[in-house]
Amino acid sequence: MIVALSHAATEEQIRTIEKRIAKENLKVVRMPGDDRVVIGIISSIPADTRYDLADSLDRMEGVDHITHVSRPYKLASREFHAHDTVVQVGDCAFGGKAVVVIAGPCSIESEEQMLECANGSKAAGATMLRGGAFKPRSSPYAFQGLAKQGLEIMRDVGKQVGLKTVSEVMSPQDVGLVADHVDMLQIGARSMQNFPLLVEAGNSGHPILLKRGPSATVDEFLLAAEYLLSRSDNDVVLCERGVHPLDRTYTRNTLDLSIVPVLKEISHLPVVVDPSHGTGHAKYVPSMALAAVACGADGLIVEMHPNPSQAMSDAAQALLPDALCKMVEDCRKVAEAVGRSI
Amino acid sequence: MIVALSHAATEEQIRTIEKRIAKENLKVVRMPGDDRVVIGIISSIPADTRYDLADSLDRMEGVDHITHVSRPYKLASREFHAHDTVVQVGDCAFGGKAVVVIAGPCSIESEEQMLECANGSKAAGATMLRGGAFKPRSSPYAFQGLAKQGLEIMRDVGKQVGLKTVSEVMSPQDVGLVADHVDMLQIGARSMQNFPLLVEAGNSGHPILLKRGPSATVDEFLLAAEYLLSRSDNDVVLCERGVHPLDRTYTRNTLDLSIVPVLKEISHLPVVVDPSHGTGHAKYVPSMALAAVACGADGLIVEMHPNPSQAMSDAAQALLPDALCKMVEDCRKVAEAVGRSI
Amino acid sequence: MIVALSHAATEEQIRTIEKRIAKENLKVVRMPGDDRVVIGIISSIPADTRYDLADSLDRMEGVDHITHVSRPYKLASREFHAHDTVVQVGDCAFGGKAVVVIAGPCSIESEEQMLECANGSKAAGATMLRGGAFKPRSSPYAFQGLAKQGLEIMRDVGKQVGLKTVSEVMSPQDVGLVADHVDMLQIGARSMQNFPLLVEAGNSGHPILLKRGPSATVDEFLLAAEYLLSRSDNDVVLCERGVHPLDRTYTRNTLDLSIVPVLKEISHLPVVVDPSHGTGHAKYVPSMALAAVACGADGLIVEMHPNPSQAMSDAAQALLPDALCKMVEDCRKVAEAVGRSI
Amino acid sequence: MIVALSHAATEEQIRTIEKRIAKENLKVVRMPGDDRVVIGIISSIPADTRYDLADSLDRMEGVDHITHVSRPYKLASREFHAHDTVVQVGDCAFGGKAVVVIAGPCSIESEEQMLECANGSKAAGATMLRGGAFKPRSSPYAFQGLAKQGLEIMRDVGKQVGLKTVSEVMSPQDVGLVADHVDMLQIGARSMQNFPLLVEAGNSGHPILLKRGPSATVDEFLLAAEYLLSRSDNDVVLCERGVHPLDRTYTRNTLDLSIVPVLKEISHLPVVVDPSHGTGHAKYVPSMALAAVACGADGLIVEMHPNPSQAMSDAAQALLPDALCKMVEDCRKVAEAVGRSI
């Protein structure tokens, strides 16, 4: 942390500030500049305690502003964990050479629909099945999911077809229930900073797909992962799904693909991309899936539906089974071009 | 909802689209333009079911794009509830002539601290006490709040000093606990789309202060209120607390004050402003409080602390008791200038 | 500038980095931390040269990332110019006790229209007349302004009615022309980083109203002012007019009023607020004007039109003369409540 | 355009509104809904004139809000120009099967530097040389470019090495000068809505690379292209270079790659991607270049420099010649995987 003092800070003020820092057992380096004195605080203590210290210092006489130098996360950081983490969910290895394809409907609607989706997804090359039993819907009037009944359908269909399963959990008290039925828990974008849920999911020991919040910075995203990692040796997969867009005329979100190489550099966790929510329209999904594979994503999570115009949610972004097949084939070629496989 | 067909849509495609709409028992109006046909769907059904329909139509041949005309909320809308709602929490009337002042620390730290805060807040003119027992913290390493013990302190101090109380609830299973201890539940910004929490809080029948999410649109904000209002005749107060900023160099958020007159026009619910989180720095809080009162806010919620540089969270934005007094005095003058009181 | 080295930086890499810095005649302070070494560079040289250095250092082996501590502007900074600058344009003093009101139509349409606007504005209490002769329009098909003819109308009407005038200049080669006809040049939001225009306007010696760009950070805004101030002792007035919004459903921009106290703290320049573009709808303008005055704005610039539904541009945000009168009256009360006048 | 009337609009108000529309010779369709009447206006007139009408209608009694259905651009739209436009600049064909690679330094610094850059770029597979003679710099203290001298260097080096050239023009009066020296004019991101520059560049008849503004919506981007196309049969290439980011901790902008398939669908113009400005750091450029090629970009424009740590601007994002070679090789494989070539 760097404390830039104001132009007019007095020696007495500077000493008071240095004493305040010393109280925290932190090392202080004073750097006298031409315009002002700058105080450096160097420490390896996880950073948010230092955010609280920063807030305190910010209030002291003679301080102009505070700048953070270190990153606030540690367990999620590559600096302290040099090798890529591979998250294994049955046969699916996130972070290995193969790009994992997760496919399935937005909502679990019925056993028939799930069977059709699972078969279509498997035929296309997917190795994991997605589908929501608890649906976060902006409107209270929208379909909210089949809950436990949906989870049971998913468990049965997954076993029957031979696909691993992932489904969203929205409430801390449902973590056990969801974990009992599916192979991987999903923390949705709107829940990325639902801290009680992160704690409970972290405690479960289940592998977790953590989606980035719609306005989350990279540091906030990795701090959410840090919540999970700090509870147990969780297997965490990060998922980019689009951030709040400049405008929603053509896409529902702005898929921020540059986060893939950024996360690959600063973190050891696998990174998956969701081009379905990332764009909001089926017609743009294949292009963004190709781009995701090209820039190093370890997996794709895509929505598909045998009959989108009858789907109970997110019909606009669901691929038809044939389109999914074509997309995976095309992604395979790109994966090979960048030294990966599907 | 308006369905703009593509330039090249055929008569057969148009008929198929019209049939799909008719299946939902909705009225269709066909508008032939010079360039393209546009189909209007006019209905009073709450809108999100229509979002699902929109998604379906979006997938049909001949459709170029869909535009929504009606607003997606109803219970929160002024159109169907012309008079201002006044939310009464004991003596505090949100939405009446008087501007309500809520003050208190970010976190409940101890009985002594809360007593000092409560006395300072009351002396300054506040009629409600704020303070967090469950703290949403970006980092797992930061102070997370005193939980039940904090709520007990708050209940006791509130009674002793004679202030109504408001505190955040983060988890559905804590709604009962928090409601048992404080007069008003707060749904925090990061929980604005925590739907299981909204449902549980809505069911409680307790008055609720609903904060706007950091990247929530106005419609998303009112739909969150709609979740609460659709569960029971909840008393809901809306709270603007700043949206994701262009940059964080000088403020932590961008306080979007224009939402005050917007919400006053389209909704009947009271609107409160949080200039503390809205700016993130104590030095900017009074100016933004004055602005909030000037543009029609029904209340202010501000952070204060007797000793900010020792506070366990959010020290940077807490006002000293004297600064709070001065701020409320100044706000009173502005309130009177716009025909209100404090 | 702070150079955070990577965890694994070698002593040799560190020395090479220090040598690179020393080449620029900058002082280096090495701060050894538990995790990593951090290098501080303290200097008073205007910062962007250092941005170029930062970019260079960013490429060197052993560097993790760079953080800037000092602000990049100097002439616009209050630290080196403690007293408020008062910009005098005839009788209008921006930055004094009185809040300046600038009013007028979006576009200059005809002499009759301008006379009516000028009389209405003056009657309402405005002391400066606004109106565009060169109009920045998103679409090539929209009305582009009367150019020189419009400027002549403005000059004549301003003199006749006794109002100072301000009008936008969009092109470097038009600076002389506009300066010959009006008392103050306006640099529009979309031109805030039109650097050749800033240079030319800066060279003119004319007072300048500089609007913030729709996605400009505070530092970018003050650097644009720095362009003007570095050319001559220009009289520069800063103007907040709204930033790119989260959504455009209800307002065209998000008026960022917290920039008023921020700019008042870090800069000595006067600050004016444009609630018309800031909201985009006449119905929200008075509330935001009141808020602007309450939080310390030195002036308001508002659009008005005698007959908005016939206006050639921006009809949605123009106030009727009566509404303008009422707004100024209300603002006067708020101004007095905060120790100012109108 | 759709005019949603308020719940309480009277028949007389509706008739007045319809008369106002009829005055513009536009067809009106009245759609009576359960809640409210909605009026549809269908027309092929370019849309911004209708924006002015919308603004006028917005002010009339009985109107709740206005929604636009048609797109505001026409010449840039694929609906009225079904085939892909191929922009030919000498040998470089933007929009054909081959992906064009443009490379070169941020700034033209000297003949030696440009020669080295040109040779390195050509060796890597680039067919066009970029380099700035007029540099838009946020700070007045930063290097502003060599102007005419730089253009002469570029012209000579381009000829000598056998590369077509592109360079930015910032001022309307420099359009002729720049067009005399280089093969393609670049309109920079900050100039995307510099309308006098667009008019002048449009009039030049020279091929133009138009960069998207940092907070420009897709419609604003295409309207800027419309400015160019409406002046003459210009050859316009669109360029995505990143939008204003959520935060700048790791990247300088957010590269919005989904705009590639969006633009491909709605426009006939070629689309190029700039991963250098799009990320701001050389280490992320190759990944984003691969992604751009994978999702359908017709070209790449990348910054390179033989000695980045000595570059006069943008050192952080310049690739070394070897890295550029490697990147183009990798992009070639991806191009082939998606049926293109380099």
Side-chain angles (χ1 to χ4, degrees):
Chain A
M1 194 192 321
I2 300 295
V3 186
L5 303 188
S6 67
H7 194 48
T10 64
E11 180 57 31
E12 201 193 324
Q13 288 170 342
I14 299 176
R15 285 205 193 126
T16 310
I17 293 161
E18 288 174 339
K19 265 187 219 154
R20 176 71 184 80
I21 299 166
K23 252 184 65 182
E24 313 277 331
N25 291 318
L26 295 166
K27 295 183 208 160
V28 173
V29 180
R30 191 195 284 205
M31 295 178 280
D34 295 342
D35 291 349
R36 76 187 73 237
V37 169
V38 166
I39 291 175
I41 307 172
I42 311 299
S43 141
S44 66
I45 293 170
D48 207 71
T49 54
R50 295 192 297 200
Y51 280 138
D52 289 339
L53 174 61
D55 277 4
S56 296
L57 292 171
D58 195 41
R59 301 305 303 276
M60 297 183 74
E61 299 281 329
V63 172
D64 191 77
H65 65 278
I66 312 281
T67 306
H68 293 277
V69 173
S70 292
R71 305 305 189 197
Y73 43 82
K74 202 132 202 179
L75 302 172
S77 167
R78 185 179 287 278
E79 264 197 317
F80 304 96
H81 189 301
H83 297 293
D84 283 355
T85 286
V86 176
V87 172
Q88 200 79 35
V89 183
D91 301 340
C92 305
F94 293 90
K97 195 196 170 198
V99 176
V100 176
V101 177
I102 309 171
C106 176
S107 297
I108 302 164
E109 298 170 15
S110 70
E111 184 144 3
E112 297 67 40
Q113 170 244 18
M114 278 310 282
L115 250 177
E116 212 174 338
C117 287
N119 285 319
S121 296
K122 193 174 185 185
T127 52
M128 193 177 270
L129 182 64
R130 59 148 293 149
F134 295 101
K135 298 301 305 167
R137 304 304 300 272
S138 304
S139 166
Y141 308 118
F143 175 61
Q144 309 274 326
L146 295 183
K148 184 154 186 282
Q149 187 199 343
L151 292 171
E152 289 165 355
I153 293 173
M154 186 153 225
R155 181 196 51 198
D156 297 346
V157 168
K159 274 190 193 150
Q160 192 180 331
V161 178
L163 288 173
K164 296 290 152 189
T165 52
V166 58
S167 196
E168 177 164 357
V169 57
M170 288 169 64
S171 206
Q173 68 262 48
D174 294 331
V175 166
L177 176 71
V178 181
D180 283 349
H181 288 79
V182 299
D183 301 299
M184 189 175 205
L185 300 176
Q186 178 180 310
I187 305 287
R190 290 166 177 126
S191 302
M192 193 202 82
Q193 293 194 315
N194 183 336
F195 303 112
L197 178 62
L198 294 177
V199 166
E200 206 62 29
N203 286 339
S204 75
H206 232 60
I208 292 167
L209 185 77
L210 175 67
K211 290 196 152 187
R212 180 186 186 186
S215 66
T217 64
V218 176
D219 283 355
E220 288 166 345
F221 191 15
L222 287 178
L223 279 170
E226 194 88 359
Y227 259 93
L228 299 171
L229 296 168
S230 66
R231 307 306 296 194
S232 70
D233 276 349
N234 268 95
D235 291 328
V236 176
V237 175
L238 304 170
C239 179
E240 161 65 23
R241 47 74 74 193
V243 292
H244 193 93
L246 273 174
D247 74 321
R248 288 186 160 141
T249 310
Y250 299 97
T251 57
R252 290 200 186 166
N253 289 291
T254 297
L255 191 68
D256 177 14
L257 284 178
S258 68
I259 204 176
V260 177
V262 169
L263 289 173
K264 285 284 158 193
E265 186 206 9
I266 62 175
S267 177
H268 53 92
L269 298 172
V271 182
V272 157
V273 170
D274 174 351
S276 306
H277 288 89
T279 60
H281 295 281
K283 58 192 165 190
Y284 304 135
V285 169
S287 304
M288 289 299 98
L290 292 166
V293 172
C295 70
D298 297 307
L300 296 170
I301 176 165
V302 290
E303 293 196 355
M304 59 84 72
H305 199 283
N307 192 356
S309 70
Q310 305 302 325
M312 296 180 80
S313 56
D314 276 2
Q317 68 198 38
L319 292 176
L320 283 162
D322 282 358
L324 179 65
C325 278
K326 168 86 169 66
M327 187 198 89
V328 176
E329 268 172 53
D330 291 345
C331 283
R332 185 171 292 124
K333 289 178 204 152
V334 169
E336 283 159 11
V338 297
R340 306 283 291 261
S341 64
I342 289 191
Chain B
M1 194 191 323
I2 300 297
V3 185
L5 303 188
S6 67
H7 195 48
T10 64
E11 180 57 30
E12 202 191 325
Q13 288 170 341
I14 300 176
R15 285 208 192 125
T16 311
I17 293 160
E18 288 174 340
K19 265 188 218 153
R20 174 71 184 81
I21 299 165
K23 251 183 67 182
E24 312 278 331
N25 291 317
L26 295 165
K27 296 181 209 162
V28 173
V29 180
R30 191 195 287 204
M31 295 178 280
D34 294 342
D35 291 347
R36 76 188 71 238
V37 169
V38 167
I39 291 175
I41 306 172
I42 311 300
S43 141
S44 65
I45 293 170
D48 206 73
T49 53
R50 295 190 296 199
Y51 281 138
D52 289 340
L53 173 61
D55 276 3
S56 298
L57 293 171
D58 194 41
R59 302 304 303 275
M60 298 183 73
E61 299 280 330
V63 172
D64 189 77
H65 64 278
I66 312 281
T67 306
H68 293 276
V69 174
S70 292
R71 306 305 188 196
Y73 44 83
K74 202 134 201 177
L75 301 172
S77 166
R78 185 178 287 280
E79 264 196 318
F80 303 96
H81 189 302
H83 298 292
D84 285 355
T85 286
V86 176
V87 172
Q88 201 79 35
V89 183
D91 301 341
C92 305
F94 293 89
K97 195 195 170 198
V99 176
V100 176
V101 178
I102 309 171
C106 176
S107 297
I108 302 165
E109 298 169 14
S110 69
E111 184 143 5
E112 298 65 40
Q113 171 243 20
M114 278 310 281
L115 249 178
E116 213 174 338
C117 287
N119 284 320
S121 296
K122 194 175 185 185
T127 51
M128 192 178 271
L129 181 66
R130 59 148 293 148
F134 296 101
K135 297 301 306 169
R137 303 306 299 272
S138 303
S139 167
Y141 309 118
F143 175 63
Q144 309 273 326
L146 296 183
K148 185 154 187 280
Q149 187 200 343
L151 292 172
E152 289 165 356
I153 292 174
M154 185 153 224
R155 180 196 54 198
D156 297 346
V157 167
K159 273 190 194 150
Q160 192 179 330
V161 178
L163 289 173
K164 294 290 152 189
T165 52
V166 60
S167 197
E168 177 164 356
V169 57
M170 287 170 65
S171 205
Q173 66 262 49
D174 294 331
V175 166
L177 176 72
V178 180
D180 283 350
H181 288 79
V182 299
D183 302 299
M184 190 174 205
L185 299 176
Q186 179 180 310
I187 304 287
R190 290 165 177 127
S191 302
M192 194 202 83
Q193 292 194 315
N194 183 334
F195 303 113
L197 178 62
L198 293 177
V199 167
E200 206 61 30
N203 286 340
S204 76
H206 233 60
I208 292 167
L209 185 76
L210 175 68
K211 289 195 153 188
R212 181 186 185 185
S215 66
T217 63
V218 176
D219 283 356
E220 287 166 346
F221 191 14
L222 287 177
L223 279 170
E226 195 89 358
Y227 260 93
L228 298 171
L229 296 167
S230 66
R231 307 306 297 192
S232 71
D233 276 348
N234 269 93
D235 290 328
V236 176
V237 175
L238 304 170
C239 179
E240 161 65 23
R241 49 73 75 193
V243 292
H244 193 93
L246 272 175
D247 75 318
R248 288 186 159 143
T249 310
Y250 299 96
T251 57
R252 290 199 186 166
N253 289 291
T254 296
L255 191 68
D256 177 14
L257 283 179
S258 69
I259 204 177
V260 177
V262 168
L263 289 174
K264 286 282 158 193
E265 187 206 8
I266 61 176
S267 177
H268 53 93
L269 297 171
V271 182
V272 157
V273 170
D274 175 350
S276 305
H277 289 88
T279 61
H281 295 281
K283 58 192 166 190
Y284 304 136
V285 169
S287 303
M288 289 300 99
L290 291 167
V293 172
C295 72
D298 296 308
L300 297 169
I301 177 164
V302 289
E303 292 196 356
M304 59 85 72
H305 199 282
N307 192 357
S309 69
Q310 304 302 326
M312 297 180 78
S313 57
D314 276 3
Q317 66 199 39
L319 292 177
L320 283 161
D322 282 359
L324 179 65
C325 277
K326 169 85 169 66
M327 186 198 90
V328 176
E329 267 172 54
D330 291 345
C331 283
R332 187 171 290 125
K333 289 178 204 152
V334 169
E336 282 160 12
V338 297
R340 307 284 290 261
S341 64
I342 289 190
Chain C
M1 194 192 321
I2 300 296
V3 185
L5 303 188
S6 67
H7 195 47
T10 64
E11 179 59 30
E12 201 192 324
Q13 288 170 342
I14 300 176
R15 285 208 192 124
T16 311
I17 293 161
E18 288 174 338
K19 265 188 217 152
R20 175 72 184 80
I21 298 166
K23 251 182 69 180
E24 312 277 331
N25 291 318
L26 293 166
K27 296 182 208 161
V28 173
V29 181
R30 191 195 286 204
M31 294 178 281
D34 295 342
D35 291 348
R36 76 188 71 236
V37 169
V38 166
I39 292 175
I41 307 173
I42 311 301
S43 140
S44 67
I45 292 171
D48 207 73
T49 53
R50 294 189 298 197
Y51 280 138
D52 289 340
L53 173 62
D55 277 3
S56 296
L57 293 171
D58 195 41
R59 301 306 301 278
M60 298 183 74
E61 299 282 329
V63 171
D64 191 78
H65 64 277
I66 312 281
T67 306
H68 293 276
V69 174
S70 292
R71 306 304 189 197
Y73 43 84
K74 203 134 202 177
L75 302 172
S77 167
R78 185 178 288 278
E79 264 197 318
F80 303 96
H81 189 302
H83 298 294
D84 285 353
T85 287
V86 176
V87 172
Q88 200 79 34
V89 183
D91 301 340
C92 304
F94 294 89
K97 197 195 168 198
V99 177
V100 176
V101 177
I102 309 171
C106 176
S107 297
I108 303 164
E109 298 169 13
S110 69
E111 184 145 4
E112 297 65 41
Q113 171 245 19
M114 278 309 282
L115 249 178
E116 212 174 338
C117 287
N119 284 319
S121 296
K122 194 174 185 187
T127 51
M128 193 178 270
L129 181 65
R130 60 149 290 148
F134 296 101
K135 298 301 306 168
R137 303 305 298 273
S138 302
S139 166
Y141 309 118
F143 175 62
Q144 309 273 328
L146 296 183
K148 185 154 187 280
Q149 186 199 343
L151 292 171
E152 290 166 354
I153 293 174
M154 186 154 224
R155 180 195 54 197
D156 296 347
V157 168
K159 275 191 192 149
Q160 191 180 331
V161 178
L163 289 173
K164 294 290 150 189
T165 51
V166 58
S167 196
E168 177 164 356
V169 57
M170 287 171 64
S171 205
Q173 66 262 50
D174 294 330
V175 167
L177 176 72
V178 180
D180 283 350
H181 288 80
V182 299
D183 301 299
M184 190 174 204
L185 299 176
Q186 179 180 310
I187 305 287
R190 289 166 178 127
S191 301
M192 193 203 82
Q193 292 194 316
N194 183 335
F195 303 112
L197 179 62
L198 293 177
V199 167
E200 205 63 30
N203 286 339
S204 76
H206 232 60
I208 292 166
L209 185 76
L210 175 67
K211 290 195 153 188
R212 181 186 186 185
S215 67
T217 64
V218 176
D219 283 355
E220 288 166 345
F221 191 14
L222 287 178
L223 279 170
E226 195 89 358
Y227 259 94
L228 298 171
L229 296 168
S230 66
R231 307 306 296 192
S232 70
D233 277 348
N234 268 93
D235 291 328
V236 176
V237 175
L238 304 170
C239 179
E240 161 65 23
R241 50 72 77 192
V243 291
H244 193 93
L246 273 174
D247 74 319
R248 289 187 160 142
T249 311
Y250 298 97
T251 56
R252 290 199 185 166
N253 290 292
T254 296
L255 191 68
D256 177 13
L257 284 179
S258 68
I259 204 177
V260 177
V262 168
L263 289 174
K264 287 283 158 192
E265 187 206 8
I266 61 176
S267 177
H268 53 92
L269 298 171
V271 182
V272 157
V273 170
D274 174 350
S276 305
H277 289 88
T279 61
H281 294 282
K283 58 191 166 189
Y284 305 135
V285 169
S287 303
M288 288 300 99
L290 291 166
V293 172
C295 71
D298 297 308
L300 297 169
I301 176 164
V302 290
E303 292 197 355
M304 60 84 72
H305 199 283
N307 192 357
S309 70
Q310 305 302 325
M312 297 179 80
S313 58
D314 276 1
Q317 66 198 38
L319 292 176
L320 284 162
D322 282 358
L324 179 65
C325 277
K326 170 85 168 68
M327 187 199 89
V328 177
E329 267 172 53
D330 291 345
C331 284
R332 187 170 290 126
K333 288 179 205 153
V334 170
E336 282 160 11
V338 296
R340 307 283 291 260
S341 63
I342 289 189
Chain D
M1 194 191 323
I2 300 296
V3 186
L5 303 189
S6 67
H7 194 48
T10 64
E11 180 58 31
E12 201 192 325
Q13 288 170 341
I14 300 175
R15 286 207 192 124
T16 310
I17 293 161
E18 289 174 339
K19 266 188 216 152
R20 175 71 184 81
I21 299 164
K23 252 183 68 181
E24 313 277 331
N25 290 318
L26 295 165
K27 295 182 208 161
V28 174
V29 179
R30 191 195 287 204
M31 295 178 281
D34 294 342
D35 291 347
R36 75 185 75 237
V37 169
V38 167
I39 291 175
I41 307 173
I42 311 300
S43 140
S44 66
I45 293 171
D48 208 72
T49 53
R50 295 192 296 198
Y51 281 138
D52 289 339
L53 173 62
D55 277 2
S56 297
L57 292 171
D58 195 41
R59 302 304 303 276
M60 297 183 74
E61 300 280 330
V63 172
D64 190 76
H65 64 277
I66 312 282
T67 306
H68 293 276
V69 174
S70 293
R71 306 306 190 196
Y73 44 83
K74 203 134 203 177
L75 302 173
S77 167
R78 185 178 287 279
E79 265 197 317
F80 303 96
H81 189 301
H83 298 294
D84 284 354
T85 286
V86 176
V87 171
Q88 200 80 36
V89 183
D91 300 341
C92 306
F94 294 90
K97 195 195 171 198
V99 176
V100 177
V101 178
I102 310 172
C106 177
S107 296
I108 302 164
E109 299 169 15
S110 69
E111 185 143 4
E112 296 67 38
Q113 170 244 20
M114 278 309 282
L115 249 178
E116 212 174 339
C117 287
N119 284 319
S121 296
K122 194 174 184 186
T127 51
M128 192 178 270
L129 181 65
R130 57 148 293 147
F134 296 100
K135 297 302 306 169
R137 303 305 300 272
S138 303
S139 166
Y141 309 118
F143 175 62
Q144 309 274 325
L146 295 183
K148 186 155 186 280
Q149 187 199 343
L151 293 171
E152 288 165 357
I153 293 173
M154 185 154 225
R155 181 197 51 199
D156 296 347
V157 168
K159 275 190 192 149
Q160 190 179 332
V161 178
L163 288 173
K164 294 291 152 188
T165 52
V166 58
S167 196
E168 177 165 355
V169 57
M170 288 171 64
S171 205
Q173 67 262 49
D174 294 331
V175 166
L177 175 72
V178 180
D180 283 349
H181 288 79
V182 299
D183 301 300
M184 189 176 204
L185 299 176
Q186 178 181 310
I187 304 287
R190 290 165 177 128
S191 302
M192 193 201 82
Q193 292 194 317
N194 182 337
F195 303 112
L197 177 63
L198 293 176
V199 166
E200 205 63 29
N203 286 339
S204 76
H206 232 60
I208 292 167
L209 184 76
L210 176 67
K211 289 196 151 187
R212 181 185 184 187
S215 66
T217 63
V218 177
D219 284 355
E220 288 165 346
F221 191 15
L222 287 178
L223 279 170
E226 194 88 359
Y227 260 93
L228 298 171
L229 296 167
S230 66
R231 306 306 296 193
S232 69
D233 276 349
N234 270 93
D235 290 327
V236 176
V237 174
L238 303 170
C239 179
E240 161 63 23
R241 48 75 73 193
V243 293
H244 193 93
L246 272 175
D247 75 319
R248 289 185 158 142
T249 310
Y250 299 97
T251 56
R252 292 200 184 165
N253 290 291
T254 297
L255 190 68
D256 177 14
L257 284 179
S258 68
I259 204 176
V260 177
V262 169
L263 289 174
K264 286 284 159 193
E265 188 206 8
I266 62 176
S267 177
H268 53 92
L269 298 171
V271 182
V272 157
V273 170
D274 175 351
S276 305
H277 289 88
T279 61
H281 296 280
K283 58 191 166 191
Y284 304 136
V285 169
S287 303
M288 289 299 99
L290 292 166
V293 172
C295 72
D298 297 308
L300 297 170
I301 176 165
V302 290
E303 294 197 356
M304 59 83 73
H305 199 282
N307 192 357
S309 70
Q310 306 301 327
M312 297 181 78
S313 57
D314 276 1
Q317 67 198 37
L319 292 176
L320 283 161
D322 281 358
L324 179 65
C325 276
K326 168 85 168 68
M327 185 197 91
V328 176
E329 268 171 53
D330 291 345
C331 283
R332 186 171 290 124
K333 290 178 205 153
V334 170
E336 282 160 13
V338 297
R340 307 283 290 261
S341 64
I342 288 190

